[in-house]
DNA sequence: TTTTATTTTTAGCCAAGGCTAAAATAACGC
DNA sequence: GCGTTATTTTAGCCTTGGCTAAAAATAAAA
């Protein structure tokens, strides 16, 4: 049901990116998001951030009190979730249909997520079989912006002799993803913790019939579901 | 062979759109393209056009002499052709894979044509089976920007009792395309000219087992290849 | 409770890409 | 050839979204 008379508010690329960044930061640690945190996550300057969140506040997309940081309104949250939905659906497309590797898709999806067309996303979603997760194991919000939360743990939180199946990555830099490839770890891979060093959090794990050492840095960037 | 050290010049959305518009206008009528023509085709003001073509001239993308209009350089031509290549490949994707109708895809392709990634287009092209034409019958430039020219005529140029097969549309407004649908005319449809009125250029044509009247306005917007 | 350090905001500047109004140039009609 | 008209350019202004430097507010230390 396409309604030509419904004026669909458009947002600029910059506005969408700010809302998305705030959305992610709110999920990392509850409460208001600081100006500095936004600036860092967007590789921009705090003064630029102040400027933009003031504009977003005027448009009722965030609530903002001077020196207190910003928080998305319901409307802002919906818009951000929709941008993330688009990002992740396009990532699925790039991997599943165009055979890109999971470490190559993020930059392209950063551009594709801003394409404006409800209908396009509806059809893309259908074409892809309405996937629930993107190639990095991140959940895809539904068309109302609702994210189903799954109970997943960081591999670093798992105890010796426990097993888990890899369900996602916390970081998705190409470097990290390529490391995982080299170790034959991908979404769905079963991992057993054979040993854990208290001093530095490093582990010995079993993947398939290989056993090897991983640092804490690796373990705290891999999400697993315990079995 | 991806070469990370080759700096790929990026152009802004506005620059790409100007080059594309000039490219199309050059093909409509040879020689320099006038400021006013560009302004009209882009729904902008002549003063804005002058501004931009001066910038494009500095970047050696067009040659420009005051009051003499603009003409793309080889480099400019290549960039424009590549944008058009992307536009038309995305239109094929939208119609062939997402089942959009041919009158719905242009606006979305206007956005998608600016996505920056060589690799993406290489893979998209392959995914689509390296099509030669877009859903409106327009040829898709190859990766070097070369357009294969086909000999096609406007239906209005065809004489009484000649037959032709529809190979494209000169206009692709939704209104016109929807008219063609209603008349069951699409790319590949065989059309026979049964009668032609000299006074106003209107025609009686046969399409399938239907015979009907069309105005000159219709006939001069349909490309056919005579049989 | 001061002093100091950190965070955040303000003020002022810049480039891109629009616009309008006015000036300059070219083209046309006689 | 000359005045009129149309086209094109310039000048000056605006908005968006950046930036730096300085000021203000808050937080941490002493
Ligand atoms: Mn991503
Ligand atoms: Mn992802
Ligand atoms: Mn088109
Ligand atoms: Mn087309």
């Amino acid at each position: 049901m396409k309604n030509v008379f419904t004026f669909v508010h458009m947002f600029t690329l910059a506005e969408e990116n700010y809302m998305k960044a705030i959305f992610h930061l709110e999920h990392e640690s509850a409460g208001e998001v600081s100006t500095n945190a936004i600036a860092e996550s967007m590789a921009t300057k705090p003064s630029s951030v102040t400027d933009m969140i003031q504009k977003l506040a005027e448009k009722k997309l965030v609530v903002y009190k001077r020196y207190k940081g910003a928080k998305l309104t319901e409307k802002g949250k919906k818009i951000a979730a929709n941008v993330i939905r688009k990002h992740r659906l396009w990532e699925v497309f790039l991997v599943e249909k165009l055979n890109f590797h999971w470490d190559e898709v993020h930059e392209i999806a950063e551009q594709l997520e801003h394409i404006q067309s409800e209908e396009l996303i509806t059809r893309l979603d259908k074409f892809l079989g309405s996937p629930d997760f993107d190639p990095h194991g991140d959940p895809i919000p539904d068309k109302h912006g609702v994210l189903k939360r799954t109970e997943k743990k960081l591999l670093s939180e798992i105890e010796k002799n426990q097993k888990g199946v890899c369900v996602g990555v916390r970081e998705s830099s190409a470097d990290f993803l390529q490391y995982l490839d080299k170790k034959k770890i991908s979404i769905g891979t079963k991992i057993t913790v054979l040993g854990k060093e208290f001093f530095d959090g490093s582990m010995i794990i079993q993947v398939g019939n290989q056993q090897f050492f991983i640092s804490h840095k690796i373990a705290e960037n891999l999400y697993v579901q315990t079995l």
Side-chain angles (χ1 to χ4, degrees), chain A:
Chain A
M1 192 193 62
K2 198 166 32 174
N3 185 348
V4 240
F5 299 106
T6 302
F7 178 69
V8 177
H9 268 283
M10 302 275 246
F11 300 95
T12 66
L13 195 132
E15 286 170 338
E16 288 192 348
N17 281 337
Y18 271 96
M19 285 188 268
K20 188 174 52 130
I22 296 168
F23 186 95
H24 283 133
L25 290 167
E26 278 185 22
H27 280 263
E28 272 175 28
S29 57
E32 280 72 23
V33 177
S34 80
T35 302
N36 263 8
I38 298 170
E40 193 188 6
S41 89
M42 300 189 66
T44 186
K45 303 290 163 182
S47 54
S48 305
V49 173
T50 299
D51 231 65
M52 181 57 95
I53 60 187
Q54 286 174 350
K55 288 176 199 160
L56 292 177
E58 269 172 35
K59 299 184 183 181
K60 310 285 185 204
L61 298 168
V62 302
V63 298
Y64 162 71
K65 260 184 252 139
R66 281 160 67 252
Y67 295 100
K68 293 285 178 184
K71 203 172 61 173
L72 290 169
T73 59
E74 274 312 306
K75 191 177 167 194
K77 228 173 273 182
K78 225 169 215 171
I79 293 160
N82 195 243
V83 174
I84 291 164
R85 171 173 165 76
K86 291 192 278 180
H87 181 106
R88 292 180 179 166
L89 282 172
W90 280 115
E91 284 189 344
V92 173
F93 169 74
L94 295 171
V95 168
E96 297 289 311
K97 301 296 182 180
L98 300 194
N99 301 117
F100 273 101
H101 197 265
W102 71 342
D103 67 349
E104 302 174 310
V105 297
H106 182 75
E107 292 306 311
I108 301 175
E110 285 290 304
Q111 300 177 60
L112 286 165
E113 72 189 6
H114 301 290
I115 302 291
Q116 308 264 7
S117 165
E118 276 283 316
E119 186 65 17
L120 173 62
I121 294 307
T122 302
R123 284 172 187 259
L124 181 64
D125 177 59
K126 198 171 178 186
F127 180 60
L128 300 172
S130 298
D132 291 322
F133 298 94
D134 85 358
H136 311 103
D138 293 315
I140 298 174
D142 70 18
K143 66 187 66 190
H144 309 294
V146 180
L147 257 174
K148 31 193 155 314
R149 295 240 140 258
T150 57
E151 6 61 57
K152 61 188 179 188
K153 289 181 181 171
L154 290 173
L155 177 57
S156 56
E157 297 166 337
I158 292 214
E159 297 312 316
K160 182 172 169 177
N161 292 325
Q162 278 195 292
K163 275 179 223 265
V165 57
C166 173
V167 295
V169 290
R170 194 165 73 141
E171 238 213 54
S172 43
S173 67
D175 279 349
F176 182 51
L177 298 179
Q178 279 160 22
Y179 170 88
L180 295 180
D181 284 337
K182 219 161 44 193
K183 296 301 192 182
K184 303 263 185 275
I185 296 171
S186 58
I187 309 294
T189 303
K190 233 187 273 178
I191 299 171
T192 310
V193 177
L194 300 176
K196 193 170 173 181
E197 192 60 61
F198 281 103
F199 178 63
D200 65 355
S202 65
M203 291 176 159
I204 306 282
I205 64 175
Q206 169 132 15
V207 174
N209 48 19
Q210 298 286 314
Q211 298 180 5
F212 52 88
F213 166 92
I214 62 169
S215 69
H216 183 65
K217 177 95 179 268
I218 301 295
E220 71 175 355
N221 278 299
L222 254 187
Y223 286 115
V224 295
Q225 219 160 38
T226 48
L227 297 173

